Amino acid sequence: LITRETWGKKIDFLLSVIGFAVDLANVWRFPYLCYKNGGGAFLVPYLFFMLIAGMPLFYMELALGQYNREGAAGVWKICPIFKGVGFTVILISLYVGFYYNVIISWALFYLFSSFTWELPWVHCNNTWNSPNCSDWADNNTVSDIYTATPAQEYFERGVLHIQDSNGIDDLGRPRWQLTACLAVVIVLLYFCLWKGVKTSGKVVWITATMPYLVLTVLLLRGVTLPGAIDGIKAYLSVDFLRLCDAKVWIEAATQICFSLGVGFGVLIAFSSYNKFSNNCYRDAIITSSINSLTSFFSGFVVFSFLGYMSHKHNVALDKVARDGAGLVFVIYPEAIATLPGSSVWAVIFFIMLLTLGIDSAMGGMESVITGLIDEFKFLHKHRELFTLFIVVSTFLISLFCVTSGGMYVFTLLDHFAAGTSILFGVLIEAIGIAWFYGVDRFSDDIKEMIGHRPGRYWRLCWKFVSPCFLLFMVVVSFATFNPPNYGSYMFPPWANMLGWCLAMSSMTMVPLYAIYKLCTLPGKFCHRLAYAITPETEHHLVDNGEVRQFTVSVPLFLVSQYTLYITSLQGII
């Protein structure tokens, strides 16, 4: 019997969860969404969805992993037919690793480029610049489609070399500079993960805390800049009329789904290394709250600099405000380049991006490694080799993203790898726990760990509110789907088909595993179904004709000596 390792200290676990959940999207997405959707008013739907779905699901995953002490697939010994969703989230984490590590390699490239007296994205006299390049000083009409700023051209032409590609069907070779940066990131990840949580738990002391130090320093510098206060006012300006727009609520719900990191299997993997009696309820409240507060705090940092850019170039704020990679690799570097001692500020900023990204990448990798090692026990003795296999495989696939046309591959992966599929995964997860394993039994498990059952509020959310919310989000995700694009480039039909195949490959794990399980269990169909929905520790009860998940006084059907009883709302309140 292999004794499961545990975190060296409780703070190692908390920092790991915070480090994973607080990632680049906290800096590049939430502040822009807040600004675009009514400023402070956006916090109303954001906090509403946080309370009814975000926190309950976060709490559910932490408790699930801690009680069962297994990875994302192994925890489904509580209801074997749902083990497919474990493989779904493992696959999603693997797919995200294919392109997420590339973002970190971009940040590393920028970091190396910042060790110079004059930053390379200041002027238009470089070898990569095109005739369309125009310095800000000469380009007050930012919306002019025929001009591009030096920072924009540095990112697209100097770093990505996208001008050497005609589209996703013309990728070219991997660029050695980005390949080298990607290799450094992969080596870092390997040595952070190879010994398990004993090593990764120490790394997060730096990677999870550094962003807060840097954000604070950048804020103190940002608020002293001219126009910064106007930027912050625009960020916080309250427009309650925007709450009448359904799109605002949908964007808030989407942000909650993706910002907390639920559905990647990471929270399950991390909490599985906790001591059994750890207070996972308190951990869920603390870490999910810190994640949301970080998003809100980073908005002050971002918009103080955006306000400065707007003031300096005498353009409207919406001309410089954007989200995604364009914010952290174009707009922010551009703002930093205008400051005295710009190289120092650039180094500080890109160190922050590195630390924001690296612990989130560590979390995703740990989900894959823990999930598969716990499922295939023979891998326990070879963790170092298996970790090497995973990171090298990720590196090889990621090479497609560091070619001249790599941005097209990156965009396609980003659009399909963890969109609808992760919402679907969390929905199945919530249904499996609340309706098949049972909220009542799940609450008893939590009581066994922390000494008291979850309150009525949490049980109602798990049983009804969160599944309904997730079902709504899955439907909205399909209904509002738009094909990916990069600027004016539209992807060919075969690329969209490939993207959907990628998304479906993870989602189909749920029905495929359920069919596999039903086909491999002994006995007639109803007997196999009874086994498939009963915890593995209680399979002897099935032999006595009892399925405790569904118990009521009226038998639904009889098969030989086995009787399957079914009920609806059992002991929730």
Side-chain angles (χ1 to χ4, degrees), residues 229-375:
I229 301 303
D230 294 330
I232 292 172
K233 284 179 180 177
Y235 170 53
L236 295 176
S237 63
V238 178
D239 180 8
F240 284 111
L241 290 176
R242 295 284 289 128
L243 297 183
C244 299
D245 184 353
K247 188 178 179 183
V248 173
W249 291 80
I250 290 171
E251 290 201 337
T254 305
Q255 179 65 12
I256 284 295
C257 287
F258 296 112
S259 68
L260 287 176
V262 174
F264 289 94
V266 179
L267 302 178
I268 294 173
F270 281 166
S271 62
S272 72
Y273 296 110
N274 276 334
K275 294 176 181 174
F276 186 77
S277 58
N278 175 64
N279 191 336
C280 55
Y281 169 65
R282 182 178 58 202
D283 293 347
I285 299 297
I286 291 172
T287 50
S288 58
S289 299
I290 287 175
N291 177 65
S292 296
L293 288 171
T294 304
S295 296
F296 185 61
F297 174 64
S298 66
F300 289 91
V301 182
V302 169
F303 274 85
S304 62
F305 277 85
L306 291 179
Y308 163 66
M309 290 292 285
S310 172
H311 172 83
K312 183 175 180 63
H313 302 295
N314 195 28
V315 294
L317 187 66
D318 59 1
K319 298 295 184 185
V320 293
R322 66 173 79 174
D323 63 347
L327 174 66
V328 295
F329 292 113
V330 177
I331 298 296
Y332 223 91
E334 199 160 16
I336 287 172
T338 65
L339 302 177
S342 56
S343 294
V344 175
W345 290 109
V347 168
I348 291 171
F349 177 71
F350 289 112
I351 285 175
M352 180 191 75
L353 291 191
L354 274 175
T355 54
L356 274 174
I358 202 79
D359 45 16
S360 296
M362 282 165 50
M365 289 284 189
E366 188 61 60
S367 168
V368 176
I369 294 163
T370 297
L372 294 177
I373 282 178
D374 286 344
E375 184 60 22

Side-chain angles (χ1 to χ4, degrees), residues 425-443:
V426 184
L427 170 64
I428 301 300
E429 195 176 276
I431 291 171
I433 291 172
W435 289 90
F436 283 80
Y437 184 62
V439 165
D440 204 41
R441 180 180 300 207
F442 189 56
S443 300

Side-chain angles (χ1 to χ4, degrees), residues 125-177:
N125 57 358
N126 303 286
T127 55
W128 57 78
N129 289 126
S130 72
N132 292 332
C133 184
S134 175
D135 289 347
W136 268 95
D138 307 318
N139 180 30
N140 289 329
T141 56
V142 184
S143 60
D144 187 346
I145 61 171
Y146 298 109
T147 59
T149 62
Q152 184 179 342
E153 289 214 339
Y154 178 72
F155 178 55
E156 293 189 340
R157 300 173 66 88
V159 178
L160 304 180
H161 274 241
I162 202 167
Q163 72 274 16
D164 297 333
S165 169
N166 295 318
I168 196 167
D169 48 5
D170 177 31
L171 296 180
R173 295 179 179 178
R175 298 197 60 246
W176 72 265
Q177 298 94 332

Side-chain angles (χ1 to χ4, degrees), residues 84-107:
V85 76
F87 293 114
T88 294
V89 300
I90 289 170
L91 269 180
I92 290 171
S93 288
L94 187 63
Y95 293 162
V96 169
F98 293 157
Y99 68 92
Y100 194 85
N101 296 332
V102 176
I103 305 175
I104 308 172
S105 69
W106 293 343

Side-chain angles (χ1 to χ4, degrees), residues 20 43 49 98 144 159 186 212 227 235 349 381 393 395 413 434 444 486 541 546:
F20 165 70
L43 296 177
F49 289 128
F98 293 157
D144 187 346
V159 178
I186 293 297
Y212 292 97
Y235 170 53
F349 177 71
K381 295 179 181 178
S393 301
F395 171 74
L413 286 170
D444 290 339
Y486 182 72
L541 296 175
E546 183 180 352

Side-chain angles (χ1 to χ4, degrees), residues 31-54:
Y32 179 76
L33 282 178
C34 205
Y35 162 72
K36 190 177 75 168
N37 293 306
F42 181 72
L43 296 177
V44 174
Y46 179 82
L47 292 175
F48 174 71
F49 289 128
M50 166 68 83
L51 291 173
I52 69 162

Side-chain angles (χ1 to χ4, degrees), residues 75-82 431-442 445 463 528-542 545-552 563-572:
V75 293
W76 289 102
K77 59 190 176 185
I78 63 173
C79 192
I81 200 171
F82 280 90
I431 291 171
I433 291 172
W435 289 90
F436 283 80
Y437 184 62
V439 165
D440 204 41
R441 180 180 300 207
F442 189 56
D445 293 346
K463 189 85 173 182
R528 282 179 275 166
L529 181 61
Y531 264 122
I533 63 174
T534 302
E536 291 177 0
T537 55
E538 297 181 3
H539 278 182
H540 64 281
L541 296 175
V542 180
E546 183 180 352
V547 182
R548 286 176 53 188
Q549 279 93 327
F550 304 107
T551 307
V552 72
T563 306
L564 181 62
Y565 296 98
I566 194 164
T567 186
S568 56
L569 320 177
Q570 172 190 348
I572 181 176

